[in-house]
């Protein structure tokens, strides 16, 4: 990398670009009268536009350079652009085989990262000719390149001069427009500027690799396919000419060989495999079964240079979000999409996939439009396009069941003037308020349809009539019998082991009308202190005593299980008799025609529910409180894990996005912490970035500025307190983008030198995940660099290639360490490192492998032999480790959760929104002139943070403007972590200057929440 004349001035320019391009448009003002005479109006958006114009004029901005050379209509200039500005990479990791036809990222990818296979070079030039009106075709010509010549094609230093056109006068003008001073740009940490740290880390790890003499280093076959060298034949000035793309000494218009002999080229072929994303989940009822939510396949060429958004949509519109608590949102639809301004609506639809709608309990919600039925976990709910029966309702009867937090069941009986039930109502016919705030419960039934759950012990001590085929026959006969009296009834069954109390703890937190438990009473579980309260809080339970046991121990278990039904136990030796008794008990239940469920609030001891129909013409209110308010760590049916599988060719990478890890955790360890992690992920976001080699600095910064400018309309609408316009602008936005990808997917430093080339032979994929900090102090951001890049280095020697690749990929570890407080680099910084091969000879390792606290982890990740060297800390203070490919030297830093990246906490505390809504309502009532601005700002944060943030919660009408300002500073605090001024893989991090800029906003106080 070469820098323009003065290094200090270069860093100053770079600091300015990073500072300004990372900052939101709400952070600056240009109202200072002193700068008005210089006609410096426009603020940050004008600066961004001018910065973008400067960047687009750079030769390194290949996308714009392509357009300029096309407009020249000069074929000689076009050839020079493709030949000299675009660097060569092999199509495959070990040879040039198939070079005449092989395409990787396609033309769009080539113009993004500046690297191309031989065929891609020809295709870029062909397209350039044709778009300029020049007829052209790709052909094969014959060459005689030997190995040394081929190396010279690949090994040529990449010299870039960036920002040379930014003169001091322009920089000073921009700084005046933004009211910045020289001191604002002083602090700049240049990550790994001389690559010394990467080399130090690489050498340390190289010395720890055992048995180096046995390494079979990655080799590369430099043989050029001299009979299939791609070239372009074109028509110019009534002549048929040849554009040779590789040797600059070949005269313009001539082929490499003297006779200009060419032949038609074989069709181009994309060689990168498809990328498959599969999202799945596990629930607490059957955690061994992984259930698919969605699957989507992408061509690599469609992914490269784009960001994939994996979201969980809650179906609330903007206004509903304003008045909805986190606690109430249970229903989510996962979706995967690519949203970009350069994609048409049809292309966006084609690149998107909706998954199955589910609740946090793992219930699937299916809509059968043809049959007009909605199924909630298989239970049918009939619906109509438009309901008219609400006008028939003259009275409502209400029953609320609230046992353990947090599921609340509302049963409603609407009757007409004659006292008859009014059937056929839809969820939209009912309005619900909890403590005068809107409530959106889930309708689980709109007709009399009892839901029965039967738990049956599968232990071998059970009689044959209640095992396997015998149990299946009993369930089928029981369901048929129930449906004779209740045609719409349903029977759900859970197979249990002998941990009877554990299973009833789960069942007690459901909305079933009746629970049956078929067991012989042999129990391997202990009754916990709070269990009987949990059982009493749930639906009535009837025990089916399959042996009519007289043992005291069994009778005690039966009594405990049936405590919610006041000890109802049925002698179930005779299945026909048992079925008659079950039907009798079911007939005694008061079954409602309408059932709704929601998550209740614990903010108040007692809560009032108001239910209305027909625009509140008829309504009824009732209070509820949980029978047992103490939060239990036991959970009912819940999703306890979300998983992502990424398949690239024959390489499969599996990740636990949230919750329970079935590889290293036992089922007995499943608890509330896992379901909370899942919920927090659903309120967060997952963005997957994909690249080939990584965008040039100019391309990346141009894209970032384009993204910043795309937000101008809604930001200015918020500032102008025009909330309708702000909402409209936000909803039109079709660009999901995380600028941190600029660093994580930037080209590696010195990727091309005079004697080496480092390239990703696969596709580079990075996951950025934010989990919301609901009821926690912090949210968490994490990054995961997936092992799909498959970096290799080719050079003059095999060992040299290995060590260079180790050094180049070590740079990514430094990037992670700079942006994230927790990374492999930080976790192993002070550890005495050892390879797994060496550790196997140590007694302490064998002891840990046998019965240590991390035995499962050791066996799964450190002990197994494979194609990688694992290096970790002897002290076991952290389970993070380094992983080195034994053949290529590619380095990955692996965190204890198996992600390849880093984590950081974000100070944005999410909380229940009930208190927020009170402030919001008070604002509307007492200060309508300012409420529009508050609403607009609130919606802006919804866009950024899903539903709420700590900053909104603390707003107060008396000082609303200052609170809004502070909240905006909080957002800027978050932005301060990302200083997007990457330079050919060498990102910069500017904290001091940005913090000072933000503090300048608040003229009344020096207090600022950034740490």
């Amino acid at each position: 990398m070469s820098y323009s004349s003065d290094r200090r001035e270069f860093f100053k320019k770079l600091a300015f670009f990073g500072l300004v391009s990372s900052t939101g448009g709400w952070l600056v003002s240009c109202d200072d009268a002193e700068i008005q005479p210089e006609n410096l109006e426009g603020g940050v958006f004008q600066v961004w536009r001018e910065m973008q114009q400067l960047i687009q004029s750079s030769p390194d901005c290949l996308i714009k350079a392509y357009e300029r050379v096309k407009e020249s209509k000069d074929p000689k200039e076009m050839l020079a652009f493709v030949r000299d500005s675009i660097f060569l990479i092999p199509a495959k990791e070990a040879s040039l085989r198939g070079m005449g036809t092989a395409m990787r990222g396609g033309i769009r990818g080539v113009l993004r990262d500046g690297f191309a296979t031989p065929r891609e070079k020809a295709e870029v030039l062909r397209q350039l000719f044709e778009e300029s009106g020049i007829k052209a075709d790709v052909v094969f010509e014959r060459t005689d390149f030997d190995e040394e010549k081929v190396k010279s094609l690949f090994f040529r230093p990449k010299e870039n001069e960036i920002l040379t056109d930014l003169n001091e006068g322009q920089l000073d003008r921009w700084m005046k427009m933004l009211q910045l001073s020289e001191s604002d740009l002083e602090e700049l940490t240049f990550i790994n500027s001389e690559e010394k740290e990467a080399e130090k880390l690489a050498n340390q790890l190289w010395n720890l690799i055992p048995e180096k003499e046995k390494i079979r280093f990655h080799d590369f076959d430099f043989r050029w396919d001299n009979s299939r060298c791609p070239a372009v034949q074109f028509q110019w000035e009534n002549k048929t000419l040849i554009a040779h793309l590789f040797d600059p000494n070949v005269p313009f218009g001539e082929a490499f060989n003297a006779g200009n002999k060419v032949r038609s080229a074989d069709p181009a072929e994309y060689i990168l495999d498809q990328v498959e994303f599969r999202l799945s989940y596990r629930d607490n009822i059957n955690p061994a079964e992984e259930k698919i939510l969605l699957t989507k396949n992408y061509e690599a060429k469609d992914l490269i240079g784009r960001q994939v958004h994996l979201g969980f949509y809650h179906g609330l519109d903007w206004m509903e979000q304003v008045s909805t608590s986190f606690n109430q949102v249970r229903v989510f639809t996962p979706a995967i999409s690519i949203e970009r301004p350069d994609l048409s609506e049809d292309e966006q639809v084609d690149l998107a996939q909706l998954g199955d709608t589910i609740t946090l309990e793992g219930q699937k919600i299916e809509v059968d439009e043809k049959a007009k039925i909605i199924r909630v976990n298989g239970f049918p709910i009939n619906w109509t396009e438009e309901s008219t029966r609400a006008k028939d309702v003259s009275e409502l009867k209400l029953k609320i069941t609230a046992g353990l937090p947090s599921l609340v069941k509302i049963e409603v009986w609407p009757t007409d003037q004659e006292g008859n039930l009014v059937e056929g109502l839809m969820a939209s016919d009912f309005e619900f308020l909890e403590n005068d705030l809107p409530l959106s419960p889930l309708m689980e039934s709109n007709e009399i349809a009892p839901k029965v759950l039967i738990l049956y012990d599968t232990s071998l001590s059970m009689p044959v009539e209640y095992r396997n085929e015998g149990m299946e026959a009993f369930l089928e006969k029981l369901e048929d019998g129930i449906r004779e009296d209740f045609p719409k009834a349903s029977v759900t069954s859970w197979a249990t082991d002998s941990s009877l109390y554990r299973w009833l703890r789960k069942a007690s937190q459901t909305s079933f009308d009746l629970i049956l438990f078929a067991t012989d009473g042999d129990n391997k579980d202990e009754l916990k202190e709070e269990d009987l309260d949990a059982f009493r809080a749930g639906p009535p339970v009837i025990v089916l005593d399959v042996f009519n046991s007289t043992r005291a121990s069994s009778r005690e278990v039966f009594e405990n299980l049936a405590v919610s039904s006041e000890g109802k136990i049925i002698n179930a030796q005779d299945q026909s008799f048992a079925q008659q008794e079950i039907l009798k008990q079911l007939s005694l239940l008061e079954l409602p025609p309408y059932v709704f469920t929601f998550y209740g609030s614990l903010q108040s001891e007692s809560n009032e529910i108001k239910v209305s129909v027909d625009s509140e013409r008829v309504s009824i209110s009732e209070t509820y409180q949980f029978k047992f308010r103490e939060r239990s760590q036991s959970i009912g049916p819940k999703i306890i894990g979300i998983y992502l599988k990424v398949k690239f060719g024959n390489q499969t990478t599996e990740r636990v996005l949230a919750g329970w890890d079935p590889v290293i955790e036992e089922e007995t360890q499943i608890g509330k912490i896992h379901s909370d992690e899942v919920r927090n992920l659903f309120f967060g976001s997952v963005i997957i970035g994909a690249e080939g080699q990584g965008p040039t600095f100019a391309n990346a910064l141009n894209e970032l500025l384009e993204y910043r400018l795309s937000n101008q309309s809604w930001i200015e609408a918020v500032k102008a307190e025009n909330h309708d316009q702000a909402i409209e602008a936000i909803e039109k936005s079709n660009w999901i983008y995380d600028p941190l990808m600029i660093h994580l997917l930037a080209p590696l430093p010195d990727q091309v030198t005079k004697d080496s080339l480092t390239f990703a032979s696969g596709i580079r994929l990075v996951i950025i995940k934010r989990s919301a900090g609901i009821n926690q102090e912090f949210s968490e951001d994490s990054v995961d660099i997936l092992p799909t890049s498959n970096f290799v280095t080719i050079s003059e020697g095999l060992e040299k290639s290995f060590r260079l690749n180790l050094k180049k990929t070590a740079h990514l570890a430094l990037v992670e360490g700079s942006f994230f407080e927790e990374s492999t680099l930080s976790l192993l910084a002070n550890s005495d490192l050892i390879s797994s091969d060496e550790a196997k000879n140590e007694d302490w390792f064998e002891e840990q492998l046998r019965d240590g606290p991390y035995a499962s982890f050791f066996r799964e990740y450190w002990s197994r032999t494979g194609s990688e060297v694992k290096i970790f800390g002897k002290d076991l203070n952290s389970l993070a480790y380094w992983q080195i490919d034994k053949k290529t030297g590619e380095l990955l830093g692996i965190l204890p959760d198996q992600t390849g990246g880093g984590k950081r906490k974000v100070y944005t505390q999410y909380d229940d929104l009930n208190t927020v809504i009170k402030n919001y309502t008070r604002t509307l009532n007492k200060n309508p002139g300012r409420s529009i601005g508050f609403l607009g700002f609130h919606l802006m944060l919804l866009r950024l943070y899903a539903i709420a943030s700590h900053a909104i919660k603390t707003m107060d009408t008396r000082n609303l403007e200052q609170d809004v300002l502070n909240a905006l500073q909080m957002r800027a605090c978050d932005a301060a972590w990302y200083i997007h001024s990457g330079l050919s893989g060498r990102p910069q991090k500017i904290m001091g200057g940005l913090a000072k800029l933000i503090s300048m906003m608040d003229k009344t106080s020096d207090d600022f929440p950034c740490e």
Side-chain angles (χ1 to χ4, degrees), residues 357-499:
T357 299
I358 53 171
T359 68
L360 288 176
E361 301 89 49
Q363 299 173 312
K364 284 191 177 182
I365 299 179
E366 304 165 285
V367 178
D368 186 338
E369 294 191 22
K370 187 176 181 180
K372 301 297 181 187
I373 291 177
I374 300 173
R375 289 184 174 86
V376 179
N377 213 35
F379 303 130
I381 299 175
N382 293 316
W383 61 283
T384 58
E385 294 291 347
E386 185 176 354
S387 173
T388 59
R389 298 298 311 278
K391 296 187 180 303
D392 298 336
V393 178
S394 64
E395 187 178 357
L396 292 173
K397 176 186 173 184
L398 192 63
K399 179 183 177 183
I400 303 176
T401 302
L404 287 179
S406 58
L407 193 66
V408 178
K409 182 178 179 180
I410 303 176
E411 298 171 317
V412 186
W413 288 262
T415 54
D416 59 19
Q417 290 183 342
E418 284 75 35
N420 301 314
L421 287 174
V422 178
E423 300 177 316
L425 297 178
M426 300 300 299
S428 56
D429 290 319
F430 295 86
E431 293 181 27
F432 296 84
L433 294 176
E434 182 183 38
N435 302 328
D436 295 324
L437 295 173
L439 181 68
S440 300
L442 175 66
M443 176 184 271
E444 295 199 13
S445 177
N446 66 347
E447 53 191 337
I448 296 179
K451 293 190 295 183
V452 178
L453 170 65
I454 179 167
L455 290 74
Y456 61 96
D457 190 347
T458 57
S459 63
L460 294 178
S461 59
M462 290 284 285
V464 67
E465 293 86 359
Y466 286 96
R467 278 194 285 131
N468 303 325
E469 293 84 359
M471 191 66 206
E472 291 177 9
F474 174 72
L475 290 174
E476 183 177 349
K477 188 175 180 182
L478 176 62
E479 186 164 8
D480 289 342
I482 292 175
R483 285 191 170 172
E484 287 184 9
D485 294 333
F486 303 97
K488 302 293 185 179
S490 60
V491 176
T492 300
S493 59
W494 294 355
T496 79
D497 56 19
S498 295
S499 299

Side-chain angles (χ1 to χ4, degrees), residues 917-934:
I917 301 308
K918 291 177 182 177
N919 288 338
Y920 170 68
T921 305
R922 188 167 62 247
T923 301
L924 283 175
N925 293 338
K926 294 186 177 181
N927 203 340
R930 288 181 175 178
S931 63
I932 294 176
F934 174 72

Side-chain angles (χ1 to χ4, degrees), residues 146-211:
D146 59 17
E147 184 171 316
E148 289 306 311
K149 177 64 175 179
V150 174
K151 288 180 180 179
S152 73
L153 301 181
F154 287 107
F155 304 155
R156 56 188 182 104
K158 189 175 182 182
E159 300 291 340
N160 290 331
E161 292 202 2
I162 302 172
L163 306 182
T164 54
D165 293 334
L166 178 57
N167 59 51
E168 194 68 25
Q170 177 73 306
L171 184 60
D172 289 344
R173 176 177 172 273
W174 284 346
M175 292 180 70
K176 286 181 180 179
M177 290 176 71
L178 301 178
Q179 298 177 310
L180 297 176
S181 65
E182 182 84 14
S183 62
D184 294 316
L185 305 180
E186 284 181 356
E187 295 194 30
L188 176 69
T189 302
F190 195 44
I191 296 175
N192 198 26
S193 60
E194 301 296 336
E195 290 296 287
K196 292 179 180 177
E197 293 302 315
E199 187 169 18
K200 180 181 177 181
L201 175 60
N203 289 339
Q204 178 190 16
L205 298 177
W206 166 259
N207 292 330
L208 291 169
I209 296 175
E211 300 181 322

Side-chain angles (χ1 to χ4, degrees), residues 175-344:
M175 292 180 70
K176 286 181 180 179
M177 290 176 71
L178 301 178
Q179 298 177 310
L180 297 176
S181 65
E182 182 84 14
S183 62
D184 294 316
L185 305 180
E186 284 181 356
E187 295 194 30
L188 176 69
T189 302
F190 195 44
I191 296 175
N192 198 26
S193 60
E194 301 296 336
E195 290 296 287
K196 292 179 180 177
E197 293 302 315
E199 187 169 18
K200 180 181 177 181
L201 175 60
N203 289 339
Q204 178 190 16
L205 298 177
W206 166 259
N207 292 330
L208 291 169
I209 296 175
E211 300 181 322
K212 298 181 185 64
E213 68 279 359
K214 294 183 179 180
I215 296 177
R216 299 180 62 182
F217 295 112
H218 175 264
D219 198 0
F220 188 82
D221 184 352
F222 284 95
R223 285 179 296 176
W224 189 265
D225 190 343
N226 282 304
S227 65
R228 292 180 177 81
C229 179
V232 178
Q233 180 175 277
F234 64 101
Q235 304 297 317
W236 182 250
E237 295 180 344
N238 298 319
K239 294 180 182 179
T240 299
L241 302 178
I242 304 299
H244 175 78
L245 285 155
F246 304 102
D247 189 341
N249 296 318
V250 174
F252 171 74
E254 296 183 14
F256 182 83
N257 59 70
N260 265 14
K261 291 182 180 180
V262 298
R263 62 186 177 89
S264 297
D266 297 334
E269 178 185 1
Y270 285 94
I271 64 165
L272 289 181
D273 292 302
Q274 282 191 333
V275 182
E276 177 187 306
F277 297 101
R278 193 188 80 179
L279 189 69
S280 59
Y281 73 99
R282 297 176 190 267
D283 61 42
N284 190 34
I285 304 308
N286 188 9
E289 181 184 356
E290 189 174 355
K291 301 173 183 177
I292 306 300
L293 282 172
L294 68 78
T295 300
K296 180 64 176 176
N297 284 16
Y298 289 102
E299 298 293 338
K301 64 182 178 63
D302 292 329
L303 283 183
I304 287 175
R306 290 172 172 155
Q307 296 185 10
V308 180
H309 181 239
L310 180 59
F312 301 89
Y313 297 98
H314 42 63
L316 301 176
D317 64 28
W318 291 112
M319 299 309 296
E320 288 173 326
Q321 290 182 56
V322 171
S323 58
T324 301
S325 163
F326 279 116
N327 226 23
Q328 298 172 20
V329 184
R330 296 167 57 199
V331 181
F332 295 86
T333 302
I336 191 168
S337 63
I338 299 175
E339 299 170 50
R340 289 277 304 205
D342 62 335
L343 291 171
S344 68

